Amino acid sequence: MLPLELKIKSRDIDTLIGAIQSNSINANIETIKRAYETANEAHKNQQRLSGEPFIVHPMEVAIILANLKMDETTIIAALLHDTVEDTPIDINKVKELFGDEVALLVDGVTKISSLKKHTKQKEQAETLRKMLLATIQDPRVIIIKLADKLHNMRTIMFQPENKQKYIAQEVLDIYAPLAGRLGMSQIRSELEDLAFKVLYPDDYQAILEHIKARRTELESYIDTVRNTLLQRLKELNIEAQIQGRIKHHYSIFKKLQQGRTFDDIFDLRAVRVITNEVKDCYGILGIVHTIWTPIPSRFKDYIAVPKSNMYQSLHTTVIGPDGHPLEIQIRTWDMHATAEMGIAAHWMYKEGIKSFTPKYKSITILNNLHEWENEVRDTREFIKELKMDLYEDEIFVFTPKGKIIKLAKGSTPVDFAYLIHTEIGNHCAGAKVNNQLVPLKTELKSGDIIEILTNKKGHPSPSWLKFVKSSNARYKIRNWLRKNAEIEEEHLEKEGKQVSDKNKKEKIANVSIPEKELVKIKSYNNKRKVGITINGTSNVMIKLSQCCQPIPGDNVIGFITRGRGITVHKRNCPSLLRLQNESERFVDIKWEQSESTYPVKLAVEALDRPNLLKDVADEISLTKTNIIKAEASLVAKDQAMLKFVLEVKGINHLNDIIKRLKQIRNVTHVYKLNEKVVLK
Ligand code: MN
């Protein structure tokens, strides 16, 4: 889509009324005029930076909304949207003059813009939240705000230069993605192009010139396609309009940043076919595929399976005339309205009848917000919570389907992946932020749209531990690394004789151990410090490592740390791999018989039933085990999760407990809490 030409000439109320009429909006013109007069009177002493009377701004915003076919209430609220913030008129006056609904919308828009006291980042997060909050109440608030932003961007050249950059960045970070999430692609594209021009003027100019240089060629190509296709459609009596498409400037820019060249980008030609009925869409698809050879993997049926922002169309790519790949979108006029205007399309009037349906509720982002809202008792508490969150430095990002994900500031795509699902984290192979490939350690920002690329053979790398932010991701990465070292060991053991002991050691920890030094652990206390005997010397400090948490009976090895005594690891602990070049610092370790106990976290999963916890606890006491802590919860309907911290004497003792618990009725899984892998 090409950006609209900038038009700064003032227009008067007749332009607005013309727009209302040409879009067949069912509105009372007298009320519109009254709203205009009220706003005009309120803003009479104010000017825009352009030198024009202020009323030009609310009027242009109202015209944008009329062209989106928004309803009367929205247009009136647009005319009044800056009165409460900037003029003596208060919200009660608006209510008195124009009713509750208009007042609610004006109030919503005012609240979004009233927060300016924070630092840049916090302000953005707060603005985003305010907008999302307003969207829950009435999505029209956000539509007015986006139209407001659009007019301000169209006239941004009147702002001082440093302010221009800041505003433009905010548009790219928050408003444009939000418009995209709400399916308002027309507004999103224009916002992006206007912001892009401010932030990257040279790139913008370069792209403009490339488009100019290719325009004639592209247009004649599209004409060829159009004529060929229209002729066939005519033979079959299918009515359709065929439009050529050029990607908007900012999306070309993003493709260039992804390493594509101008030639690549312009080699791909695109047209859109718009028709009256759904069945014709499929008919046209068939015809397209008989004229040109389709590229099989490129067909997508978004009619049968709409995108989360309600977008519907058929997409196909064929080998078009002259061998150029040709991308074709096929849709009905209704689908076209939704594709261009998104959520706004649902306030459209058809043949004078108000046809608004609450279909907007199907938009994922709104669903999430509704769920989110339901989790807290009232709006005041909700806002309080949001504000509290702000001080904890959190960010909001989106999944490609528009779901909002809350993360700690400093989080990376890996944190995001693990939050979505453990398996996605474990197979995470790459990430796209706002459609651009980024390194996995990239710090995410509020408003980013994150797509995780997975690979069946992909798996966590120890290096991830250096940059992940959340304890959740850290825990799951460690868990995977440890478990997989164990699986590898088991695998080797099964192959038994073929693998010599020496190889096994090398394969697993890749370290050779000096035989002469043998360390015996004599005692243990809860501070995880143990007195040991090493070659006759006693009282060297021993620490059981946190990464693999060995307990008596485990096959272990000691590592001599610098100044902190010896750390005991399981022999298959993946963290030993890092230390493999320092084999001289490893010592053999044997457990000594002792009466010490070790705290072990044990999880018991079961189908819930009466007395479950009691039966499990009873069975544990039968093994003469102390329970330090017990905790029961329902993780899903009928799915109970019991967690215990037990005082365990050693691996045999623990195995005995696990064996007994597994025999209890309804118990499905028993495991040491940090040792379960999720396998499908
Ligand atoms: Mn405004």
Side-chain angles (χ1 to χ4, degrees), residues 48 54 57-58 61 78 81-82 85-86 109 145 148-149 152:
R48 294 280 284 174
F54 191 88
H57 168 65
V61 174
H81 83 268
D82 276 328
E85 201 185 353
D86 298 335
V109 178
K145 188 66 204 173
D148 175 41
K149 216 37 164 189
N152 285 336

Side-chain angles (χ1 to χ4, degrees), residues 312-519:
Q312 286 186 296
S313 282
L314 298 176
H315 288 192
T316 186
T317 304
V318 297
I319 309 297
D322 307 331
H324 285 293
L326 171 65
E327 199 179 78
I328 302 179
Q329 298 176 348
I330 306 165
R331 56 172 74 146
T332 64
W333 287 103
D334 271 356
M335 292 171 195
H336 184 56
T338 302
E340 297 285 298
M341 301 193 280
I343 192 171
H346 296 275
W347 275 268
M348 281 172 60
Y349 288 86
K350 281 173 197 154
E351 296 149 20
I353 299 158
K354 194 178 182 183
S355 72
F356 164 67
T357 55
K359 196 177 164 191
Y360 69 84
K361 283 187 175 150
S362 68
I363 297 186
T364 316
I365 189 172
L366 297 181
N367 277 342
N368 290 333
L369 288 165
H370 281 285
E371 275 167 29
W372 189 20
E373 192 196 34
N374 289 339
E375 282 169 16
V376 285
R377 260 175 248 133
D378 63 11
T379 311
R380 200 177 304 165
E381 197 183 331
F382 178 53
I383 293 174
K384 203 178 95 196
E385 267 201 34
L386 290 182
K387 283 192 174 157
M388 252 163 47
D389 281 355
L390 264 185
Y391 294 103
E392 288 166 8
D393 278 330
E394 282 177 326
I395 56 162
F396 270 105
V397 298
F398 296 104
T399 67
K401 288 189 169 175
K403 189 174 173 185
I404 302 175
I405 304 288
K406 197 164 76 169
L407 289 169
K409 189 167 176 286
S411 291
T412 63
V414 175
D415 293 285
F416 174 88
Y418 274 104
L419 197 72
I420 301 295
H421 197 281
T422 307
E423 285 301 282
I424 293 182
N426 283 344
H427 293 110
C428 171
K432 281 183 176 176
V433 171
N434 304 324
N435 247 331
Q436 202 175 335
L437 272 173
V438 298
L440 285 175
K441 63 177 183 192
T442 305
E443 198 174 300
L444 301 175
K445 297 194 309 292
S446 265
D448 281 347
I449 301 162
I450 324 293
E451 188 183 343
I452 298 296
L453 310 172
T454 56
N455 178 336
K456 273 182 198 160
K457 288 181 184 159
H459 61 75
S461 147
S463 68
W464 293 1
L465 293 168
K466 287 184 201 146
F467 58 74
V468 291
K469 176 89 182 171
S470 65
S471 49
N472 172 53
R474 191 174 300 279
Y475 165 73
K476 286 174 175 168
I477 294 164
R478 285 222 175 99
N479 204 18
W480 190 95
L481 291 171
R482 188 177 59 245
K483 198 69 193 179
N484 280 275
E486 273 170 18
I487 289 167
E488 200 168 356
E489 185 180 41
E490 258 170 39
H491 177 70
L492 289 167
E493 265 165 11
K494 268 180 208 156
E495 290 181 9
K497 282 146 199 137
Q498 291 144 292
V499 185
S500 74
D501 259 20
K502 188 174 167 287
N503 278 342
K504 188 170 121 186
K505 264 181 207 158
E506 275 176 6
K507 182 78 183 172
I508 291 174
N510 219 356
V511 289
S512 65
I513 297 145
E515 295 289 321
K516 55 182 175 15
E517 291 166 319
L518 182 67
V519 178

